[in-house]
Amino acid sequence: MPPRRKLSDLDRGRAIGWLQDGVAARQVAQRLAVAPSVIIRLKQRFHATGRVQERQRSGRPRVTIQREDRFIQRQAMQQRMATANNIRQRLQATTNTVVSGQTIRNHFHNFGLRARRTVRGTTLTANHRAARRAWCTQHVRWQRQQWAHVLFTDKSRFCLEPADGRIRVWRRRGERFAEGAVLERQRFGGGSVMVWGGISTRPRTPLYHVVGNLTGVRYQNEILQPLVVPALQAIGPRAILQDDNAPPHR
């Protein structure tokens, strides 16, 4: 039987009775499946107070009321990237309640919020979201053999001087990509290098370094004809080109 951490009032009374009958503390602990130190502390408390019940622990009184707790939670959910000190200052300005930054963080933890690194993503409009959702709905039941006919292509720009600052966001488990928890950023600050490539379950294209602006004519002459067409031929007659829908590609 695993040792129990706490004794009920009934077990405490039984333990005191056994001790008064001359049973050793270690034997009493074995009977109740607890550590001997539990029985020793119980014996000391009984001799000091004449009671077997634990003293009530008042604890530190709460500083905020339920209305202020809801205010803290609402501020964190509406402005995910606000710091605990920012919300502490807003609480003080709104309700004249003075708390510490650690108190605010404790409230966040009670709400299930933890400070996490933000996901960085580009700004998406309502049309972007609708188009992506429609595409996912159309292909959600595709099997592996169907995806084997698709060649995915895209170009990526790599910043040579990225910002290394880390901005924290308050979010719950499973809210990594939730609206308000993603840090939108504008591309691209500082120097950068742009490359293009294509992948599928079988062949892949060489990585192409794009120098300058990639116009429609350049895209056709430098990428489509020498790189994409051979990859599609290697996939087979049912090959599908899935590009990044950039205007020059249209």
Side-chain angles (χ1 to χ4, degrees):
M1 180 178 180
R4 293 176 295 180
R5 293 182 177 274
K6 294 187 64 174
L7 291 175
S8 64
D9 290 342
L10 176 60
D11 287 338
R12 294 190 187 101
R14 294 168 61 193
I16 293 298
W18 287 328
L19 290 172
Q20 291 177 341
D21 289 340
V23 181
R26 184 173 296 276
Q27 294 179 352
V28 174
Q30 292 176 352
R31 294 180 183 182
L32 297 177
V34 295
S37 59
V38 175
I39 303 302
I40 294 174
R41 287 195 299 268
L42 174 63
K43 181 180 178 180
Q44 294 172 347
R45 183 167 64 248
F46 180 76
H47 287 167
T49 64
R51 298 169 56 87
V52 297
Q53 292 81 8
E54 292 183 348
R55 290 178 297 179
Q56 294 293 330
R57 295 179 173 87
S58 60
R60 188 173 182 176
R62 290 179 59 87
V63 179
T64 59
I65 60 178
Q66 291 185 354
R67 180 173 60 86
E68 294 167 344
D69 293 345
R70 291 193 297 268
F71 175 86
I72 295 173
Q73 183 178 18
R74 185 167 59 252
Q75 289 293 313
M77 298 303 296
Q78 291 177 351
Q79 301 184 25
R80 298 293 191 104
M81 299 178 192
T83 64
N85 285 329
N86 292 149
I87 296 181
R88 176 185 62 81
Q89 294 170 359
R90 295 173 194 167
L91 177 66
Q92 182 176 354
T94 304
T95 65
N96 202 29
T97 300
V98 180
V99 297
S100 66
Q102 184 59 50
T103 298
I104 299 296
R105 285 186 286 272
N106 292 340
H107 279 73
F108 290 163
H109 298 163
N110 293 334
F111 303 146
L113 297 172
R114 293 292 187 274
R116 308 296 189 192
R117 291 185 60 182
T118 56
V119 176
R120 293 181 177 270
T122 56
T123 304
L124 296 178
T125 65
N127 291 335
H128 291 153
R129 295 188 176 94
R132 294 186 179 197
R133 182 178 182 87
W135 189 93
C136 294
T137 302
Q138 179 183 357
H139 299 85
V140 66
R141 297 188 181 278
W142 271 35
Q143 302 297 321
R144 183 180 179 87
Q145 59 270 23
Q146 294 173 284
W147 288 114
H149 298 286
V150 181
L151 175 67
F152 291 93
T153 65
D154 196 5
K155 61 181 181 297
S156 297
R157 187 186 299 271
F158 297 89
C159 295
L160 301 180
E161 299 178 0
D164 57 0
R166 293 184 178 182
I167 299 177
R168 298 285 179 170
V169 58
W170 296 105
R171 60 179 172 86
R172 301 185 183 95
R173 183 183 296 274
E175 290 186 335
R176 185 181 184 191
F177 296 99
E179 186 174 1
V182 177
L183 178 63
E184 296 181 351
R185 61 187 176 89
Q186 299 294 333
R187 302 192 197 183
F188 285 90
S192 62
V193 175
M194 178 179 290
V195 295
W196 176 97
I199 60 171
S200 70
T201 59
R202 289 176 288 179
R204 63 181 180 182
T205 68
L207 196 62
Y208 181 75
H209 178 203
V210 180
V211 180
N213 295 327
L214 184 62
T215 64
V217 175
R218 288 191 59 195
Y219 179 67
Q220 178 179 350
N221 296 334
E222 300 176 17
I223 293 179
L224 280 182
Q225 293 179 356
L227 302 177
V228 174
V229 172
L232 294 177
Q233 292 173 344
I235 294 176
R238 298 173 57 187
I240 300 174
L241 172 61
Q242 181 66 51
D243 60 26
D244 61 356
N245 202 32
H249 303 172
R250 298 296 92 205

